[in-house]
Amino acid sequence: MSALDNIDRNILRLLRVDARMSNAKLAVEVGLSPSACLRRIKIMENAGVIRGYTALVDTASSDAMIAVIINITLERQTEDYLDRFEAAVRKHPEIRECYLMTGRSDYMLRVDVDSAGAFERIHKEVLSTLPGVLRIYSSFSIRDVLAARQKGGRSTAAR
């Protein structure tokens, strides 16, 4: 696929806000006919620009899941170490997100748990068994500050 133009970027921006927006409404928003809009979406899907669609689940109503952010430092940053680590991460559905990072740690991961005990299991059985891991730093989230935006609502300003 050639480089994205402003219309493609606008389509992506709108789909990030509401992936269930009808094609007809999306087409109006970006100034295209519905068929032209759908054609662009299909091209971006086939090219892997759009890799899928997902549901954002309200943690307050879904058994109070806690997001845990994990920073991983590897023993070495060679291509072999990075490849082995990433291949192992892909095998664990408990790991919801994984980013190669700059800075103090090599990777940042996110897992969702319902308790400290559940995280302890993931730490023992998954994180500590990943190849090449030197250090694991974990932080538990308190709340999702952008949850109101994800619900399509507005957040209130800090007072």
Side-chain angles (χ1 to χ4, degrees), residues 16-68:
R16 282 186 183 115
V17 173
D18 182 5
R20 292 178 52 118
M21 179 183 293
S22 72
N23 183 59
K25 183 175 180 188
L26 185 59
V28 169
E29 292 285 327
V30 298
L32 293 174
S33 70
S35 61
C37 185
L38 187 58
R39 187 171 33 257
R40 283 179 180 250
I41 291 170
K42 292 297 181 194
I43 289 169
M44 288 189 282
E45 288 173 346
N46 292 335
V49 174
I50 297 174
R51 295 183 313 202
Y53 301 88
T54 189
L56 299 173
V57 180
D58 182 8
T59 55
S61 64
S62 67
D63 300 328
M65 296 301 282
I66 302 164
V68 182

Side-chain angles (χ1 to χ4, degrees), residues 70 72-75 81 83-95 109 119-136:
I70 303 140
I72 301 279
T73 303
L74 298 181
E75 295 169 355
Y81 270 73
D83 290 345
R84 285 184 19 234
F85 178 83
E86 291 174 14
V89 164
R90 287 186 190 98
K91 295 177 183 175
H92 295 283
E94 303 94 327
I95 301 172
L109 287 62
F119 179 70
E120 180 182 17
R121 182 197 64 76
I122 290 172
H123 189 280
K124 276 189 209 177
E125 297 175 11
V126 177
L127 300 175
S128 63
T129 66
L130 294 171
V133 171
L134 178 64
R135 281 189 202 87
I136 302 171

Side-chain angles (χ1 to χ4, degrees), residues 103-122:
R104 290 185 173 193
S105 59
D106 298 311
Y107 289 92
M108 184 182 78
L109 287 62
R110 189 191 105 221
V111 299
D112 294 327
V113 297
D114 59 6
S115 68
F119 179 70
E120 180 182 17
R121 182 197 64 76
I122 290 172

